[in-house]
Amino acid sequence: MNILLLGKTGQVGFELHRTLAPLGAINAPSRETLDLMSEESVANYLASAKPNLIVNAAAWTAVDAAEDHQASAERLNAGLPAQLADYAAANSVRLVHYSSDYVYPGDGEQAWQETSATSPLSVYGSTKLQGDRSIEQSGADYLIFRTSWVYSARGNNFMKTMLRLAKSKAELNIVADQVGAPTPARLIAQITTLAIHSQLAKGLYHLAPRGEVSWHGFAQEIFRLAQENGEQLAMGPENAYPIPTSDYPTPATRPLNSRMNVNKLEQTLSIRLPDWQSQLAVTLDEYLEIK
Ligand SMILES: NC(=O)c1ccc[n+]([C@@H]2O[C@H](COP(=O)([O-])OP(=O)(O)OC[C@H]3O[C@@H](n4cnc5c(N)ncnc54)[C@H](OP(=O)(O)O)[C@@H]3O)[C@@H](O)[C@H]2O)c1
């Protein structure tokens, strides 16, 4: 299999580069080789690489910056997936893509289903939704994994920011009314690989660990586990104070309810997804090893 992997330097792309390796030859151009902002460069690259599987882990993921850079976010999150889907449809190639909990309106406390109505609150969320819709309407053979709160031992993410801040701050105020499931990039890559290998039926699937937590609860567990692993922090879980989103204004509005029901993926793949706590332990271990 000739696999084209986009976004190999990102959190998910880095992990995919490793997990996809047994499935075939991976062609993973860096930004220097292929600027995904250019539709023409992407078209030329596809024509010469002739992939028979495309895995797109590239995106505009700077949620707040997207509010002021709508055209760039649209190109990467909506135009690029549409272009890849058109190529995939025309060439009978499977396209694997990633979407976000930010496509949902964020109200209520029920977990979203894949069939739930979408209503993004931000430019980032709207552009991701446009990308999903283009893929669904393209006629391509696709898998879209809609995931949430991605973090990893590498890259910029909440876990690493919290650990950095906890080394110098005596206390932190952390948002406690946004609830979801923090998802390690490695879990996404492992499940993606399993899905490709087992020829998971075309469609949209939620992909996140089981369980739910607020950012505040997630931070407390990060501090607790880090201290248990011997990390020297200037504060512990007891010095993390819960605040409402309204006390932490950001340019882009975040959904309060990011709970996603993962039954469809579990049932179709005959697996049980792990809980977020065990996934944090594994990811934190890896971070402490490589830092
Ligand atoms: N992060 C989250 O919390 C989250 C939550 C839900 C869903 N998702 C979705 O999950 C997927 C993976 O996210 P992630 O967190 O792994 O993303 P990430 O770490 O921000 O990585 C994004 C990747 O896209 C590449 N890229 C961006 N602009 C490019 C350009 N113009 N040309 C070439 N490459 C470009 C980046 O390359 P450089 O390294 O060169 O910049 C990087 O490899 C995305 O679809 C995202 O929307 C993420």
Side-chain angles (χ1 to χ4, degrees):
M1 189 150 50
N2 179 8
I3 305 169
L4 174 61
L5 170 63
L6 301 178
K8 74 162 175 191
T9 51
Q11 299 187 89
V12 174
F14 178 89
E15 301 294 339
L16 282 167
H17 209 188
R18 304 203 284 201
T19 58
L20 292 176
L23 299 186
I26 302 178
N27 185 355
S30 65
R31 183 193 284 263
E32 291 67 40
T33 310
L34 175 60
D35 181 1
L36 299 170
M37 292 300 287
S38 162
E39 189 174 341
E40 190 188 350
S41 303
V42 171
N44 291 339
Y45 198 90
L46 287 168
S48 84
K50 297 189 176 49
N52 40 34
L53 170 69
I54 303 172
V55 182
N56 178 31
W60 180 288
T61 56
V63 174
D64 288 320
E67 298 292 314
D68 286 332
H69 295 85
Q70 185 154 356
S72 300
E74 256 170 28
R75 165 60 198 156
L76 280 184
N77 295 346
L80 175 66
Q83 185 179 9
L84 298 174
D86 287 345
Y87 177 90
N91 294 278
S92 305
V93 163
R94 177 161 256 204
L95 170 64
V96 180
H97 179 72
Y98 300 93
S99 177
S100 165
D101 53 312
Y102 283 21
V103 302
Y104 294 117
D107 56 334
E109 293 188 353
Q110 290 287 319
W112 305 108
Q113 310 270 353
E114 285 83 350
T115 49
S116 296
T118 49
S119 183
L121 304 172
S122 62
V123 168
Y124 170 76
S126 323
T127 57
K128 291 298 291 183
L129 182 59
Q130 281 176 54
D132 297 354
R133 288 198 172 138
S134 299
I135 294 172
E136 287 166 342
Q137 290 160 10
S138 66
D141 175 16
Y142 70 87
L143 293 175
I144 299 175
F145 294 112
R146 194 167 274 168
T147 188
S148 59
W149 299 16
V150 178
Y151 70 107
S152 141
R154 297 169 182 79
N156 296 319
N157 56 65
F158 183 83
M159 179 188 81
K160 288 176 62 183
T161 302
M162 286 300 118
L163 289 171
R164 178 171 48 77
L165 292 174
K167 293 213 176 244
S168 58
K169 305 263 185 203
E171 55 181 51
L172 280 172
N173 293 334
I174 303 167
V175 169
D177 56 358
Q178 292 174 31
V179 176
T183 310
R186 184 168 296 179
L187 179 70
I188 298 172
Q190 286 166 339
I191 298 294
T192 299
T193 307
L194 175 65
I196 294 167
H197 183 65
S198 51
Q199 297 181 325
L200 180 64
K202 166 180 173 174
L204 167 70
Y205 298 87
H206 288 168
L207 197 185
R210 282 183 157 257
E212 61 180 59
V213 67
S214 69
W215 289 114
H216 171 257
F218 185 38
Q220 284 192 307
E221 187 64 1
I222 292 168
F223 301 144
R224 190 188 70 74
L225 276 175
Q227 287 182 325
E228 198 176 279
N229 279 281
E231 275 294 283
Q232 295 299 319
L233 303 181
M235 58 171 286
E238 65 285 0
N239 310 113
Y241 299 109
I243 56 164
T245 300
S246 52
D247 283 1
Y248 189 74
T250 50
T253 306
R254 267 83 174 159
L256 298 184
N257 176 15
S258 280
R259 298 169 181 88
M260 293 199 300
N261 182 308
V262 292
N263 288 348
K264 180 181 174 189
L265 183 62
E266 287 192 331
Q267 282 163 14
T268 323
L269 276 180
S270 302
I271 55 166
R272 185 178 164 87
L273 285 158
D275 59 48
W276 69 264
Q277 292 95 330
S278 61
Q279 287 292 292
L280 171 60
V282 172
T283 313
L284 185 66
D285 264 3
E286 188 194 358
Y287 170 68
L288 296 176
E289 248 172 56
I290 63 171
K291 81 176 164 75

